[in-house]
Amino acid sequence: MSMDRREFIKIAGLTSLFGAGASGAFQLLEPGVLDASTHEEHGHGDAAHGQAEEQASGPKVRWAMIVDVRKCEDPEVVKRIVKACHTAHNVPDFGNPKDEVKWIWADTYEHAFTDSANEFMDKGIEHLPFLLLCNHCDDPPCVRVCPTKATFKRPDGIVAMDYHRCIGCRFCMAGCPYGSRSFNWRDPRTVLKGKPPNPDFPTRVRGVVEKCNFCVERIWKGLQPACVEAAPNVLTFGNLADPNSNVRQILRTRVSMRRKPELGTKPSVFYLV
Amino acid sequence: MIEKALKGEPRYWAWIFFLLSIIGVGFGCYLYQLSYGLGVTGMSRDVSWGVYIAQFTYLVGVAASAVMLVIPMYLHHFKKYAKVVIFGEFLAIAAVTMCLLFIIVDIGQPARVLNVVLHPTPRSILFWDMVVLNGYLIINIIVGWNTLLADKKGVPTPGWVKPFIYLSIPWAISIHTVTAFLYAGLPGRHLWLTAVMAPRFLASAFASGPALLTLLLLLVRRFSKFDAGFDAFQTLAKTICYAMIINVFLLLMEFFTAYYSHIPGHIHGLEYLFFGLHGYDNLVPFMWTSAILGVIGIFLLLVPKLRMRYDLLAVGCGAIFLGTYIDKGVGLVLGGFVPNPFEGVTQYYPTFPELMITLAIWGIGALILTILYKIAISVREETA
């Protein structure tokens, strides 16, 4: 079910072109800027023109994740996924809930879908672990409330964090209805000692917020997110903006759910039960 | 005028050194927090704002309440407030300063706090809160200082100060409205997601701030030759009482909406605060104390015969100050966070360093207030 590699590299290349051409990763970019900048690549096209065209067609890339929950039944699968992510991103493990930092983790259906649970529920679903991560919402409340633009939405839909910009006010944590954000209450580097940290991803300092970034640093290189790589039959990552993409094909044929749809945030993480 | 703060009885200096020692201990704890991180507090992934932000929220209300003196005095020429209004403005200065300090200690990367100014983000309410709070501080410093200076010289307040006085009225409303918006606009936090958040904030502010001011003026009356006057006290008490009644009314509206609609998420916050949720009930005794104090306060301030006795006036104001403090300075922030986005419950207990830092900031507020009041009283005693 994993994504066609050619398609993936094509899109990834496009996003990295954009990344190199844009005026810096922490600038807030409206949808449409992506196309404007690709226009510029091809002979300095008029940006305003590019934007107008863009509005008609929508963004070309909109990353999304599909979680096939029934395939998570084996606790080893969940463990493998969480470990792949947390190792790749040097996520600290303090071993206590108070200081906890997590990017992806599992919880029950009842906790993940607070408004959809019922007491007569299918016992099979009740005991399934639901993988929870940042939903990379279309209309992310965390981005709306951040006073420094330290958290921002990229044109490809990824809600990203600039750890150097973050002042640690934790307004995004109050704003996130999905509890997807963690704060470095303590120095995260102290618990990475002993383990060799992944040199490909920066460690954080204390006092900043962090969360899942859809492995933007791997997509850049044409790789799949670390969690998808760890369990390609469980997780599917792809481009929602392309009607023929792997994710769109699945969503066309299977019944899927998103968390708290009534809040209007439009999550990009879908669950198949 | 500042030299007036440097002359005082031993009792005055003892108080100053007492405050300085509290501030010193808290500062030590803050240095510890700076080196270790906010992990020294009781906050967690679920309850990510705690006692600091709660104090901040409460004190914004205290600061905003100066307007309850400024409106009668400058819009309705209620002369009985002429000698008192300065104390309201100085209380606002101390309260806003404490608010700003609580923000600083709550931030994980305090050295980056200027990012809010360097990267202004108008869609973030926190940006506007910074604008209105700093603006309000400046307005009150300008107005308070110049009014007192004019008093000292026995001349009317200079004309150029007037626009600032009028500006301070909507500005005071704005600081607490914007602070309410910090909470009221968040999806998924049912206790906060309510349109009466700003009105209720204002109502509780116009009760709690003047209640604190009345207590302070009663202390001033006792320890100095300055008396705010019987009529000023009575009018203040009526303001407090009516504001508190509106506050309680709005709280009952919240109960109706949550419990009659019977939407579980909307009930959970109130249930946790007042009755306990899934067996978690550490705030229940506090919230009922708050409710009882509110009722006692309203009763004492509503009945003229009771209100007219200075001792009962003090008890009534004390009850309302404490009652609103528990409601907003403890319950509001925790009630929003504790039933978390997963409908789970993570309780929060502030730690010793956290409490000492909090106490120290209150100490700094008290120090600023003492110095400003000392100056104001000295001027009043001279011109009396």
Side-chain angles (χ1 to χ4, degrees):
Chain A
M1 217 182 274
S2 64
M3 182 183 215
D4 171 39
R5 198 171 155 81
R6 268 179 71 108
E7 183 201 6
F8 192 88
I9 290 173
K10 212 167 67 192
I11 298 167
L14 192 71
T15 27
S16 50
L17 260 184
F18 151 72
S23 51
F26 26 70
Q27 189 188 354
L28 177 81
L29 292 158
E30 301 299 331
V33 179
L34 172 61
D35 251 22
S37 68
T38 45
H39 269 267
E40 273 166 355
E41 295 288 337
H42 303 291
H44 304 280
D46 164 23
H49 170 70
Q51 204 132 16
E53 205 170 89
E54 172 56 36
Q55 271 159 6
S57 59
K60 280 197 171 146
V61 186
R62 181 71 186 84
W63 295 116
M65 174 92 75
I66 299 178
V67 182
D68 196 335
V69 183
R70 294 225 180 251
K71 293 181 180 160
C72 296
E73 208 158 2
D74 179 4
E76 287 305 313
V77 171
V78 172
K79 216 180 275 178
R80 195 166 73 229
I81 289 171
V82 173
K83 191 169 175 240
C85 169
H86 287 189
T87 312
H89 299 107
N90 297 315
V91 176
D93 180 10
F94 293 101
N96 72 59
K98 199 185 88 64
D99 297 321
E100 191 174 36
V101 176
K102 51 189 178 184
W103 285 29
I104 185 165
W105 68 101
D107 207 332
T108 60
Y109 175 80
E110 201 187 334
H111 288 164
F113 293 86
T114 47
D115 291 315
S116 327
N118 70 58
E119 62 268 44
F120 312 110
M121 207 166 51
D122 177 354
K123 292 293 167 212
I125 292 177
E126 203 177 14
H127 298 292
L128 283 176
F130 280 71
L131 282 170
L132 304 181
L133 63 156
C134 170
N135 280 296
H136 299 276
C137 307
D138 243 8
D139 187 6
C142 55
V143 170
R144 192 156 59 232
V145 299
C146 177
T148 63
K149 307 184 188 96
T151 188
F152 57 99
K153 197 178 125 191
R154 291 165 41 103
D156 58 7
I158 294 179
V159 176
M161 273 298 301
D162 180 349
Y163 306 122
H164 302 281
R165 176 73 71 85
C166 177
I167 60 171
C169 69
R170 309 187 298 288
F171 206 174
C172 55
M173 296 177 81
C176 176
Y178 304 100
S180 291
R181 291 175 162 259
S182 303
F183 183 70
N184 287 286
W185 300 102
R186 299 160 55 182
D187 185 354
R189 287 165 190 163
T190 54
V191 286
L192 292 173
K193 276 178 196 158
K195 292 185 250 178
N198 175 13
D200 295 334
F201 199 79
T203 54
R204 269 75 66 199
V205 293
R206 64 169 172 264
V208 297
V209 170
E210 59 178 82
K211 64 170 196 67
C212 156
N213 65 351
F214 259 5
C215 280
V216 66
E217 80 285 357
R218 292 171 58 91
I219 298 174
W220 178 286
K221 294 183 198 156
L223 298 166
Q224 296 263 346
C227 55
V228 181
E229 200 175 77
N233 58 331
V234 178
L235 301 169
T236 311
F237 188 75
N239 180 13
L240 216 51
D242 174 6
N244 302 315
S245 68
N246 54 348
V247 283
R248 285 286 289 274
Q249 278 170 23
I250 296 171
L251 294 175
R252 251 198 307 273
T253 51
R254 300 273 308 267
V255 177
S256 58
M257 298 192 299
R258 290 197 276 190
R259 293 174 66 199
K260 305 191 180 181
E262 72 279 10
L263 301 180
T265 58
K266 299 201 204 85
S268 301
V269 176
F270 298 81
Y271 294 87
L272 309 175
V273 179
Chain B
M1 279 193 295
I2 201 101
E3 76 283 353
K4 294 191 190 307
L6 298 172
K7 281 179 281 180
E9 308 162 46
R11 201 169 49 185
Y12 169 72
W13 286 108
W15 170 243
I16 296 283
F17 282 106
F18 168 70
L19 290 177
L20 285 174
S21 61
I22 290 177
I23 295 165
V25 174
F27 188 70
C29 290
Y30 182 62
L31 291 179
Y32 171 51
Q33 178 182 297
L34 266 186
S35 70
Y36 183 87
L38 282 164
V40 303
T41 69
M43 291 185 274
S44 63
R45 208 175 172 282
D46 284 332
V47 186
S48 50
W49 285 341
V51 68
Y52 298 150
I53 291 298
Q55 308 305 295
F56 154 78
T57 308
Y58 186 68
L59 288 166
V60 174
V62 172
S65 70
V67 79
M68 286 290 98
L69 298 170
V70 172
I71 289 176
M73 173 66 200
Y74 291 102
L75 289 189
H76 304 289
H77 305 286
F78 183 71
K79 292 291 174 203
K80 278 155 191 162
Y81 277 171
K83 299 284 172 203
V84 182
V85 71
I86 189 84
F87 291 95
E89 281 157 358
F90 282 170
L91 178 58
I93 291 174
V96 177
T97 309
M98 288 157 78
C99 290
L100 296 172
L101 287 172
F102 274 116
I103 294 284
I104 301 287
V105 299
D106 186 66
I107 281 178
Q109 289 285 333
R112 294 183 191 163
V113 71
L114 279 178
N115 275 2
V116 180
V117 186
L118 295 172
H119 310 287
T121 312
R123 59 158 194 245
S124 173
I125 301 293
L126 206 59
F127 167 76
W128 292 108
D129 217 31
M130 181 221 41
V131 171
V132 293
L133 283 175
N134 285 294
Y136 193 64
L137 181 62
I138 293 164
I139 290 172
N140 273 286
I141 291 173
I142 292 172
V143 172
W145 197 253
N146 284 294
T147 316
L148 194 65
L149 212 56
D151 263 17
K152 190 180 172 233
K153 294 176 186 155
V155 294
T157 314
W160 66 268
V161 178
K162 280 281 160 72
F164 286 98
I165 294 174
Y166 294 126
L167 182 63
S168 80
I169 295 169
W171 208 287
I173 311 281
S174 82
I175 62 168
H176 220 21
T177 305
V178 172
T179 304
F181 285 175
L182 289 179
Y183 297 96
L186 303 180
R189 305 276 174 195
H190 297 299
L191 185 76
W192 299 341
L193 192 67
T194 162
V196 302
M197 186 62 91
R200 195 157 111 75
F201 265 36
L202 287 168
S204 84
F206 296 157
S208 61
L212 177 60
L213 184 65
T214 304
L215 291 172
L216 290 169
L217 289 173
L218 286 171
L219 280 176
V220 168
R221 181 174 175 270
R222 185 141 174 215
F223 290 115
S224 81
K225 282 175 228 153
F226 176 72
D227 186 349
F230 181 77
D231 291 335
F233 277 117
Q234 291 304 305
T235 312
L236 265 174
K238 285 176 214 164
T239 304
I240 298 162
C241 185
Y242 295 134
M244 190 62 188
I245 290 171
I246 296 170
N247 181 33
V248 171
F249 174 73
L250 291 173
L251 174 66
L252 294 174
M253 297 298 99
E254 295 284 20
F255 269 95
F256 173 81
T257 308
Y259 280 84
Y260 195 82
S261 74
H262 228 267
I263 297 173
H266 291 270
I267 296 175
H268 285 159
L270 291 170
E271 196 176 3
Y272 168 68
L273 291 176
F274 285 91
F275 309 104
L277 182 66
H278 310 318
Y280 295 98
D281 54 5
N282 61 352
L283 288 183
V284 172
F286 288 96
M287 295 316 287
W288 284 105
T289 308
S290 159
I292 292 164
L293 286 172
V295 172
I296 292 174
I298 288 173
F299 180 71
L300 288 177
L301 299 184
L302 191 62
V303 181
K305 269 191 184 160
L306 302 176
R307 179 174 69 216
M308 284 175 192
R309 283 181 50 181
Y310 277 111
D311 52 346
L312 291 181
L313 176 68
V315 174
C317 287
I320 283 181
F321 177 70
L322 203 60
T324 50
Y325 174 78
I326 295 170
D327 176 41
K328 214 198 272 172
V330 180
L332 176 93
V333 169
L334 299 183
F337 275 119
V338 168
N340 69 17
F342 311 100
E343 308 260 304
V345 177
T346 307
Q347 297 205 98
Y348 159 85
Y349 298 93
T351 60
F352 177 76
E354 201 175 3
L355 289 175
M356 289 317 295
I357 294 168
T358 303
L359 204 60
I361 294 177
W362 277 91
I364 292 171
L367 186 66
I368 293 171
L369 197 67
T370 306
I371 292 169
L372 290 176
Y373 274 26
K374 178 79 171 62
I375 295 169
I377 292 164
S378 306
V379 171
R380 289 276 178 275
E381 284 177 340
E382 272 173 26
T383 55

